[in-house]
Amino acid sequence: MAEAHQAVAFQFTVTPDGIDLKLSHQALTQIYLSGLRSWKKRFIRLKNSVITGVYPASPSSWLFVVIAILATMYTRSDPSMGLIAKIQEHLPVSESLSAQCQTVVSAVVFSTLLWLSLILTMRLCLKQLLSYHGWMFEQHGKLSSTTKAWMALVRIFSGRQPLLYSYQGSLPNLPVPKVKDTIHRFLDSVRPLTDAHQFERMSTLAREFESGMGKRLQWYLKLKSLWAANYVSDWWEEYIYLRGRGPIMVNSNYYGMDFLYVTPTPIQAARAGNTIHACLLYRRKLNREELKPSRIPGSFIPLCAAQCERMFNTSRIPGEETDTVQHWQDSEFVAVFHRGRYFRLWVYQAGRLLSPRELEHQVQRILDDPAAPAPGEERLGALTAGDRVPWAEARKTYFSSGPNKRSLDCIEKAAFFVTLDDEEQGMMGDDSGASLDRYAKSLLHGKCYDRWFDKSFSFVVYKNGKNGLNAEHSWADAPTVAHLWEYVLATDSFQLGYNTEGHCKGEVDPSLPRPQKLTWEFSPELQQQVGRSLAVAQALADDIDFHVFSFRDFGKGRIKKCRISPDAFIQLTLQLAYYRERGMFCLTYEASMTRLFREGRTETVRSCSNESCAFVCALEEGEEREECRRLLRAASERHQNLYRLAMTGGGIDRHLFCLYVVSKYLGLDSPFLKEVLSEPWRLSTSQTAVQQGELFDMVNHPEFISCGGGFGPVADDGYGVSYSLVGENMINFHISCKHSCPSTDAHEFGAQVRKALVDLLDLMYTEPTRTAGRTSSRTPRNYQHNPPAVKKDQ
C-alpha cells in the first residue's frame, strides 16, 4: 500500500512560471503511520533482543545489583576486594569529576561486569542442566532422586516469564555419537531385514569402516560440533532439501487439512478474510516473541524455536546447483492466486492491520474481478512444481528485469501465498472417504500450477469455505507449521467468528484501494518452458494414490489403559499391516525431533526392530496369547527406547549422513556409507501431534477436529503414512503411494491398518473390541452443540 500512496502523495507540474508542487496530506499521513509501524517493530525487536540476551536474568536485575553494591560501599565495605579501586585508577574520566563521582562510576562499572558474569554463569549452568536426559529413560511416575533434584535446579535457573527465543542461548549443542555406538545400533537395525549372508557382508563393511576411515571422518565432525551450533542441521537443509533437483511438489512439500466435520462459513471470501487475519495475528505474536516457548508436552523442558524465524516473508529461490531460502524482515502484503491471475493484497492501511471484514471485502474484489489472465499467466506456478534446474534457468532468463521481475518479487516477498480455489473440497457427498482422498490430493498438488510451492507456506481456500495449507519443507519441519495451523483454526472459529449470515465481523473502510493485479510478459519460449514443467508435475501428481480415513473404534485412551505407548502401538500396527500385505518386513522411517538441542530438527527412528519382527511373526504364526502379549510389550519398550535415543542425540542416520558428507568433502569413497545411504525407506511414517490442546474443547466441541495432514511416499515402491491421535477416541491416517507400483495400494494398506489396530487391541483385552468394518466416516456420538455460524458438512 505504501507504494500506491507514494505514487499520489507527491506530484509536480513544470509550467512557464516554475514548478507547481502538489502534496496529498491524506497519503502523506498514511505513509507516516506506515513508517511509524515499522519503527515500532524495530524498537520491539531491539527490546526483545536485550531481554533475550540477558536471560535467565532480567534487565531490571542490573539495577538491583548496582544498588546492592552501592549500598554495601556506603557501609564502608568493599565487596569488590579492591577491584573498584583498580577500575577507578584506569577509568578514562574527566578530571572535573570529584573523587566521590569517580568511585560511583567505578562501582557501576564493576556492578555491570559482575551482573554479566552472573548471567553467563547462570546460562552455563542451565545449559549443563539441559544436557541431562536421564529423566527421559526413567519409568513413568517413578522418578529417581537425581532427576527430582535436577528438575528443581532447572526451575531455579530458568528464570521467569521467558520470551519465545529466551532459551536459545542455553540449549546444549547436539552431541556427536561414538562411531562404535552408531555402527552397533545400525547393525542391530538391519538384522531382521537381511539373511545370514547379507548380514555378515554388511558387518564386515561396518567393521572395516569403524577401524579405518570412520575415525578420520569422526575427527572432522567433532571439530565441527565445537564450532557450529549444530553439526547436522545446515548440511541436512543443504543436501537433503536445497540440492534436490527434482520437483518439491509431492516429493518434499506436505499439507494440513481443515476441520473434519464442520465448515465455519460457506462463504469463500469470509473464510479467507478470517484465515489471513488470524495468520497475521500469529505473525505479530511471533515478531513480539509473545508466543510461549515450545516445550516437551506436559513438561517444562524447552525446545529450540529457531525454525520459527523464517516462517513468514520467506521463499525458496531456485538455483542451477542448489536452491537458497530467502527471508525478508517484513512484508505488508500477501500474494493471491485466482483463476489464473496473481494479485497483491495489502493487509495494512496506514500502519493498521486490516480487520477480517475488510480482508473479506478485498478478497471478494479479487473474486469479482472480470480481468482475464495474460497469455501464459494461468499456468506460471507450474515452474515451481517441476524440476528445479529448468525453473532456475527460466528465472534467470525471463524474470531478471522488467514487469516479470517486479511481479515475481511481489510473490516471493509476500508474507505468504493464498489460493482462492474454484473447486469444492472436504468430507461431502455419499462417499465421504473418496472425498477426503480428493481433498488430500488437492492440498498436496492441486492442478500443479495453482499453488506457489516455493513459498514457506500457502493457504488454499475453496469455493465452499473449506481451507487447507501446503508447506515447503526446507526451512522447517511439520510441528512448526502445525503450531501455526492450530492457532489459525482456533482463532478463526472461536475468537474472530462470523455473523449470522456467515460474513466476517467488523466494518469496512470505503477508502481501501483495490488489490493490485500483477502484470507479466510471456514470450513463446517461456510458455514452452512452463508447459514442460507442467507435464513433469502432472505426471507426478497423476501417479499419487491417497487414502485418508478416521479410525474411531478406539483411540489413545484405550491404548494407554493397556500401559503401552500410543505411538509404539501405532508403529507396531503399521509393521503388522505391512507384513500382512507384502509378506515381508522393510526399512521403516519414523520422524523424531532433536529440538532438545540448539537448531535441532529431526532424527530417524528405525521402527522395524528385532523385537517388532518377533512379535509380528509370533502373532501371525498363532503363538499363545500370553506369549504374543509379552512380545508386544517387549517391542513397545524397544520402540520407546529407540525414540528416546533419537531425541537425545543417540540416533543412527543423521550421524551416518554427516560422516558421508565429510567423506565427499575429502574425496574419499566408503562402500559402507554408500550402501547405507542408498537403502530405500519403503515405509515412511510420521505422527502429527496436537501441540495446543488448550485451544480446542474436545469434550464440548468434538466436531471441531482437524484431520491432520500428510505427505507423499518417499520410495517409488513404498508408502508414506502420517497419523494423528486426536483426543481420546480418534486416530486419523493419511496414506500415500504410487499407482505405477503394482505392489502398493493405499486403500488396501488402509484396510490392513484397520484390521491390525483391532487385532492388537483384542490381544491386550479379554473382551474383543468392535470389528474394523465399523470404522465408517460418522460424526462423534457426543456431538451435541452446533454454533449458529457453523455449517455442518454433509
Side-chain angles (χ1 to χ4, degrees):
M1 189 174 296
E3 292 180 8
H5 289 313
Q6 289 169 354
V8 298
F10 176 75
Q11 299 179 6
F12 67 93
T13 304
V14 179
T15 67
D17 298 327
I19 298 177
D20 181 21
L21 290 176
K22 294 181 180 179
L23 299 178
S24 169
H25 293 287
Q26 180 182 4
L28 288 175
T29 300
Q30 292 179 350
I31 292 173
Y32 164 75
L33 293 174
S34 182
L36 186 63
R37 169 185 169 271
S38 178
W39 280 104
K40 283 182 178 179
K41 288 190 63 177
R42 294 182 187 181
F43 174 76
I44 292 173
R45 192 177 295 119
L46 177 61
K47 181 191 71 172
N48 289 340
S49 297
V50 172
I51 295 174
T52 301
V54 301
Y55 192 82
S58 63
S60 60
S61 63
W62 171 81
L63 184 61
F64 174 81
V65 174
V66 171
I67 293 175
I69 295 296
L70 291 175
T72 306
M73 292 181 64
Y74 183 74
T75 61
R76 299 185 182 277
S77 299
D78 186 5
S80 69
M81 293 180 291
L83 289 177
I84 293 179
K86 288 288 185 181
I87 293 173
Q88 187 173 348
E89 291 178 7
H90 299 86
L91 196 65
V93 296
S94 171
E95 296 180 357
S96 60
L97 290 178
S98 64
Q100 186 176 5
C101 288
Q102 292 182 21
T103 302
V104 171
V105 172
S106 300
V108 171
V109 172
F110 170 78
S111 301
T112 303
L113 294 175
L114 176 63
W115 178 65
L116 293 174
S117 300
L118 290 173
I119 291 173
L120 181 60
T121 301
M122 292 178 65
R123 183 171 291 181
L124 289 174
C125 289
L126 182 58
K127 189 171 187 176
Q128 289 300 314
L129 288 169
L130 294 178
S131 298
Y132 169 75
H133 300 119
W135 59 273
M136 191 175 293
F137 295 87
E138 294 181 353
Q139 187 175 350
H140 182 69
K142 296 182 179 180
L143 299 180
S144 65
S145 54
T146 301
T147 297
K148 291 178 180 178
W150 167 80
M151 292 171 63
L153 289 172
V154 170
R155 291 183 183 276
I156 293 172
F157 283 96
S158 290
R160 296 181 178 180
Q161 298 179 343
L163 299 177
L164 177 62
Y165 300 119
S166 292
Y167 287 106
Q168 291 302 103
S170 302
L171 292 173
N173 290 2
L174 181 67
V176 182
K178 295 180 180 178
V179 174
K180 178 181 178 181
D181 293 341
T182 299
I183 295 296
H184 173 75
R185 291 168 185 157
F186 168 77
L187 291 176
D188 191 50
S189 72
V190 299
R191 186 67 186 91
L193 304 174
T194 56
D195 57 30
H197 174 73
Q198 292 171 330
F199 184 74
E200 182 60 31
R201 174 179 170 276
M202 182 61 75
S203 298
T204 302
L205 290 176
R207 286 193 296 268
E208 292 175 353
F209 174 79
E210 179 186 347
S211 60
M213 187 188 303
K215 294 180 179 179
R216 182 181 177 187
L217 302 181
Q218 179 78 348
W219 186 87
Y220 283 96
L221 276 192
K222 287 186 175 180
L223 183 64
K224 183 187 178 184
S225 70
L226 295 174
W227 174 255
N230 191 296
Y231 81 93
V232 175
S233 293
D234 58 337
W235 285 350
W236 186 255
E237 178 178 307
E238 175 73 16
Y239 294 106
I240 298 300
Y241 294 116
L242 298 180
R243 281 187 181 264
R245 301 293 80 196
I248 62 175
M249 182 199 77
V250 174
N251 294 329
S252 179
N253 286 27
Y254 52 94
Y255 67 88
M257 281 187 171
D258 192 7
F259 294 123
L260 187 59
Y261 298 116
V262 298
T263 304
T265 176
I267 302 175
Q268 184 178 20
R271 192 73 196 280
N274 263 10
T275 300
I276 294 171
H277 188 84
C279 193
L280 293 170
L281 290 179
Y282 187 92
R283 185 177 72 164
R284 178 187 293 173
K285 285 179 173 288
L286 187 66
N287 290 337
R288 296 177 178 179
E289 298 187 38
E290 294 174 351
L291 297 172
K292 295 179 181 179
S294 299
R295 302 178 189 273
I296 287 188
S299 76
F300 55 88
I301 310 302
L303 300 174
C304 180
Q307 295 181 37
C308 297
E309 296 174 354
R310 298 184 293 179
M311 182 176 293
F312 294 91
N313 330 317
T314 299
S315 189
R316 177 169 174 163
I317 308 299
E320 294 185 5
E321 293 185 2
T322 181
D323 295 351
T324 56
V325 177
Q326 181 69 47
H327 171 71
W328 291 268
Q329 281 294 328
D330 194 17
S331 178
E332 295 191 349
F333 57 88
V334 298
V336 181
F337 177 90
H338 177 244
R339 290 185 180 175
R341 294 104 29 98
Y342 291 85
F343 294 85
R344 172 160 53 183
L345 171 59
W346 296 98
V347 294
Y348 287 90
Q349 165 82 339
R352 173 186 64 84
L353 176 61
L354 297 186
S355 69
R357 185 68 183 88
E358 289 172 325
L359 289 168
E360 177 189 349
H361 176 70
Q362 295 294 78
V363 170
Q364 191 62 52
R365 283 179 162 181
I366 293 175
L367 293 173
D368 296 338
D369 192 313
E377 179 183 7
E378 180 180 10
R379 299 183 175 184
L380 171 63
L383 290 173
T384 68
D387 292 326
R388 303 304 291 176
V389 174
W391 172 210
E393 293 173 346
R395 189 178 190 277
K396 181 179 180 180
T397 304
Y398 305 109
F399 296 89
S400 58
S401 62
N404 284 359
K405 183 181 187 306
R406 291 192 294 271
S407 296
L408 182 61
D409 283 346
C410 287
I411 296 175
E412 293 179 339
K413 294 180 180 180
F416 49 88
F417 192 82
V418 179
T419 293
L420 302 175
D421 204 304
D422 277 342
E423 295 181 348
E424 294 186 355
Q425 295 291 350
M427 184 190 294
M428 53 188 183
D430 296 332
D431 191 350
S432 58
S435 66
L436 284 179
D437 299 345
R438 292 192 298 269
Y439 184 20
K441 283 179 64 67
S442 176
L443 287 174
L444 186 63
H445 55 68
K447 298 176 182 176
C448 301
Y449 59 79
D450 52 352
R451 317 279 187 261
W452 199 266
F453 295 100
D454 285 355
K455 286 300 291 182
S456 54
F457 64 90
S458 303
F459 288 126
V460 183
V461 185
Y462 294 98
K463 188 176 181 179
N464 60 341
K466 272 293 178 189
N467 69 1
L469 173 143
N470 182 288
E472 200 274 317
H473 209 327
S474 65
W475 64 276
D477 300 307
T480 301
V481 178
H483 194 275
L484 161 70
W485 190 229
E486 289 174 6
Y487 177 90
V488 169
L489 289 178
T491 303
D492 169 24
S493 297
F494 304 132
Q495 295 185 25
L496 300 178
Y498 303 88
N499 62 25
T500 55
E501 297 176 350
H503 293 284
C504 296
K505 298 177 181 178
E507 302 297 331
V508 178
D509 182 352
S511 66
L512 290 175
R514 298 183 66 86
Q516 297 173 305
K517 184 179 181 299
L518 304 184
T519 58
W520 309 89
E521 292 180 354
F522 285 86
S523 64
E525 293 78 13
L526 176 56
Q527 294 187 47
Q528 291 175 5
Q529 181 56 63
V530 170
R532 288 191 290 268
S533 293
L534 179 59
V536 171
Q538 194 65 60
L540 177 59
D542 292 342
D543 196 22
I544 296 299
D545 181 24
F546 249 103
H547 182 40
V548 180
F549 66 93
S550 293
F551 182 87
R552 286 182 291 279
D553 282 2
F554 60 86
K556 66 180 179 182
R558 294 193 69 184
I559 297 174
K560 287 188 292 187
K561 289 181 180 178
C562 302
R563 297 184 180 180
I564 294 179
S565 159
D567 184 71
F569 187 92
I570 301 299
Q571 286 294 325
L572 290 171
T573 295
L574 296 176
Q575 291 298 314
L576 178 58
Y578 189 88
Y579 183 82
R580 285 174 170 175
E581 185 192 48
R582 303 289 293 273
M584 58 184 292
F585 299 103
C586 70
L587 192 62
T588 305
Y589 181 110
E590 181 187 6
S592 164
M593 67 174 179
T594 56
R595 290 170 61 199
L596 287 168
F597 304 96
R598 190 171 183 179
E599 296 183 14
R601 292 199 60 164
T602 60
E603 177 57 277
T604 304
V605 180
R606 294 187 167 217
S607 302
C608 184
S609 63
N610 290 301
E611 291 78 2
S612 68
C613 293
F615 161 69
V616 170
C617 291
L619 186 66
E620 290 302 281
E621 292 170 4
E623 293 286 344
E624 292 293 331
R625 189 181 185 89
E626 287 303 318
E627 175 64 9
C628 290
R629 284 181 177 179
R630 184 188 68 80
L631 291 174
L632 172 59
R633 294 195 180 279
S636 173
E637 288 297 325
R638 175 61 173 164
H639 179 269
Q640 285 185 276
N641 189 59
L642 290 173
Y643 204 98
R644 292 161 182 158
L645 284 171
M647 286 184 64
T648 54
I652 300 170
D653 292 277
R654 300 301 180 268
H655 187 203
L656 294 177
F657 161 76
C658 288
L659 290 171
Y660 180 77
V661 173
V662 174
S663 72
K664 289 303 178 183
Y665 277 128
L666 298 178
L668 303 175
D669 186 32
S670 168
F672 169 71
L673 291 177
K674 185 176 181 180
E675 187 161 338
V676 169
L677 270 73
S678 64
E679 296 173 343
W681 300 98
R682 292 190 172 89
L683 193 54
S684 179
T685 70
S686 179
Q687 180 186 171
T688 305
V690 177
Q691 305 170 65
Q692 305 169 86
E694 70 278 3
L695 296 180
F696 304 93
D697 187 349
M698 298 294 184
V699 177
N700 297 317
H701 299 287
E703 68 276 14
F704 285 91
I705 296 174
S706 170
C707 199
F711 51 87
V714 173
D716 291 339
D717 58 347
Y719 292 105
V721 182
S722 173
Y723 56 93
S724 57
L725 296 99
V726 183
E728 297 295 308
N729 303 298
M730 175 183 284
I731 309 173
N732 292 324
F733 287 91
H734 299 246
I735 302 174
S736 63
C737 65
K738 292 191 175 182
H739 290 295
S740 56
C741 177
S743 58
T744 58
D745 185 300
H747 291 76
E748 173 61 27
F749 188 66
Q752 293 289 359
V753 169
R754 290 186 184 93
K755 185 176 185 304
L757 282 168
V758 175
D759 289 349
L760 260 62
L761 196 69
D762 281 344
L763 178 66
M764 301 307 297
Y765 276 91
T766 303
E767 303 82 5
T769 59
R770 291 170 293 169
T771 61
R774 295 180 62 184
T775 57
S776 59
S777 299
R778 61 180 182 274
T779 55
R781 289 187 175 184
N782 55 351
Y783 178 89
Q784 297 176 352
H785 178 68
N786 191 15
V790 173
K791 170 183 173 291
K792 181 181 175 183
D793 294 339
Q794 301 298 325

